[in-house]
Amino acid sequence: AEEALAKTRHVSVDAIVTDTMMPRVDGFRFCQLVRQHPRLGRVPVVMVSSVYLDEQDREFARKVGANAFVLRTPNFGGVIAALQASLESEPPPPAGDLGPDLKDEYTHRVIQQLERQVAKNADLAQRAALQATALSILSAISDTISKPDGEGTLHAVLSQWLDAAGISRGA
């Protein structure tokens, strides 16, 4: 975001497409900075996101000056359509500083997104642990089967499965 704003000193910009997730300055703050910029204040801004998906996120994007807020897709079809529509419509008026209400809403949006990401990460960590356990069991069974010992192999495999399932006896 900071690099993009710095580059506008040397080039003319007709429109801006920005993601909501960026290092140091997110898309919402970037949109506000664009709206406050003397030369960029009326340039159309399309925000793209694969994580901010609520209607409240879309509404907040409009409040900070985005012309459109679209879901990221592999072919960027929604982005292109939103960009075309934004170029054909009147840009929003330049924005001032975020008032206390918008700052609170911004903080709420960011916290809610962080909570979602933490929950997703916890779910992924749990799924990864289960996968690691399954791979460990399969590896041990593979090692046992690769050195067949007749009845001993069957008992070793059964023992490993029972141990993995937390069962003390089996037949």
Side-chain angles (χ1 to χ4, degrees), residues 10-80:
H10 309 292
V11 279
S12 175
V13 177
D14 295 321
I16 296 171
V17 176
T18 182
D19 198 313
T20 54
M21 301 293 281
M22 296 184 290
R24 292 197 307 252
V25 177
D26 69 4
F28 298 111
R29 179 74 177 124
F30 177 68
C31 188
Q32 183 200 9
L33 292 171
V34 166
R35 290 291 167 242
Q36 292 173 341
H37 193 279
R39 287 188 299 123
L40 301 176
R42 311 256 316 145
V43 170
V45 177
V46 175
M47 291 181 71
V48 181
S49 184
S50 58
V51 293
Y52 283 92
L53 306 174
D54 293 344
E55 181 56 37
Q56 295 92 340
D57 298 322
R58 294 176 191 280
E59 181 58 34
F60 187 71
R62 285 188 281 277
K63 288 179 183 177
V64 296
N67 294 67
F69 187 91
V70 296
L71 176 65
R72 176 191 302 271
T73 59
N75 68 0
F76 287 93
V79 175
I80 294 167

Side-chain angles (χ1 to χ4, degrees), residues 47-138:
M47 291 181 71
V48 181
S49 184
S50 58
V51 293
Y52 283 92
L53 306 174
D54 293 344
E55 181 56 37
Q56 295 92 340
D57 298 322
R58 294 176 191 280
E59 181 58 34
F60 187 71
R62 285 188 281 277
K63 288 179 183 177
V64 296
N67 294 67
F69 187 91
V70 296
L71 176 65
R72 176 191 302 271
T73 59
N75 68 0
F76 287 93
V79 175
I80 294 167
L83 187 56
Q84 287 174 329
S86 295
L87 287 168
E88 295 168 359
S89 67
E90 281 293 313
D97 241 358
L98 288 179
D101 291 342
L102 279 184
K103 283 183 182 178
D104 287 347
E105 188 174 351
Y106 172 76
T107 302
H108 175 73
R109 301 264 38 96
V110 170
I111 289 171
Q112 189 175 41
Q113 191 53 237
L114 289 171
E115 288 171 345
R116 281 189 201 131
Q117 294 302 315
V118 166
K120 283 181 182 180
N121 287 345
D123 180 54
L124 287 172
Q126 183 179 19
R127 289 173 39 200
L130 289 173
Q131 289 292 332
T133 301
L135 286 173
S136 175
I137 293 167
L138 290 174

